[in-house]
Amino acid sequence: MSHAYRKRNAQALYDTHYGPNMTPMVDVVMVILIFFMASTAFLGPEWFLRTYLPTKAVGAPSAEPSTRLQIALGVDDEGRTTATVNGGAAETLAELETRLAAEARRVGVDTIVVPIDADGTVPYEDVVRLHEICARLGITKVGLN
């Protein structure tokens, strides 16, 4: 009884090889897919923030003068967020809201430009809260420095 034996050398293994090895490519594609799936979950909330980003003026400047309220956010010794407008005295976000409302009534919401400069220690929640205050008052030209 004769048995057919298979050769077990490198040439015989190479002859039975059909096409490239797809395992490394599938692994890389799965890693990329997982990365994109995880990153989309983190990018969602920022889509809803409306900001006025400065652009280079191409045409003539507008005839309507704007009122610039430079707001700097910081944290005091007690851990509360404080705001200073144009380098003035520190005030809370509630006091800032009444000040912004008075300024909006005085000059109009279309002429107010609010650049926000937040310190690194300010919670992101308070920056969003300031955006919401400006949106509630009708101030649309709000940006981050």
Side-chain angles (χ1 to χ4, degrees):
M1 199 191 286
S2 88
H3 294 293
Y5 291 105
R6 194 168 53 135
K7 293 182 182 178
R8 293 186 178 248
N9 59 16
Q11 179 66 35
L13 287 176
Y14 181 77
D15 290 339
T16 61
H17 180 64
Y18 299 104
N21 186 4
M22 298 298 286
T23 305
M25 186 184 77
V26 171
D27 290 344
V28 168
V29 169
M30 291 302 291
V31 167
I32 292 172
L33 179 67
I34 290 170
F35 172 75
F36 285 135
M37 288 172 50
S39 65
T40 56
F42 295 123
L43 293 178
E46 283 81 12
W47 293 342
F48 300 108
L49 271 181
R50 290 185 178 175
T51 60
Y52 178 72
L53 298 175
T55 57
K56 187 175 181 181
V58 177
S62 63
E64 191 173 294
S66 62
T67 303
R68 188 178 181 91
L69 299 175
Q70 178 77 35
I71 299 177
L73 295 177
V75 177
D76 62 2
D77 295 336
E78 298 173 4
R80 293 178 301 192
T81 300
T82 59
T84 58
V85 179
N86 294 335
E91 50 193 63
T92 64
L93 289 179
E95 295 168 344
L96 179 64
E97 182 174 7
T98 57
R99 181 173 178 172
L100 286 175
E103 192 70 25
R105 282 191 302 272
R106 189 177 69 82
V107 297
V109 293
D110 295 334
T111 62
I112 296 178
V113 177
V114 180
I116 300 171
D117 186 20
D119 187 5
T121 59
V122 175
Y124 188 66
E125 176 185 349
D126 292 335
V127 176
V128 172
R129 186 175 296 133
L130 182 55
H131 270 274
E132 290 174 354
I133 289 170
C134 291
R136 189 170 41 243
L137 294 173
I139 302 170
T140 57
K141 297 178 183 176
V142 179
L144 298 174
N145 282 344

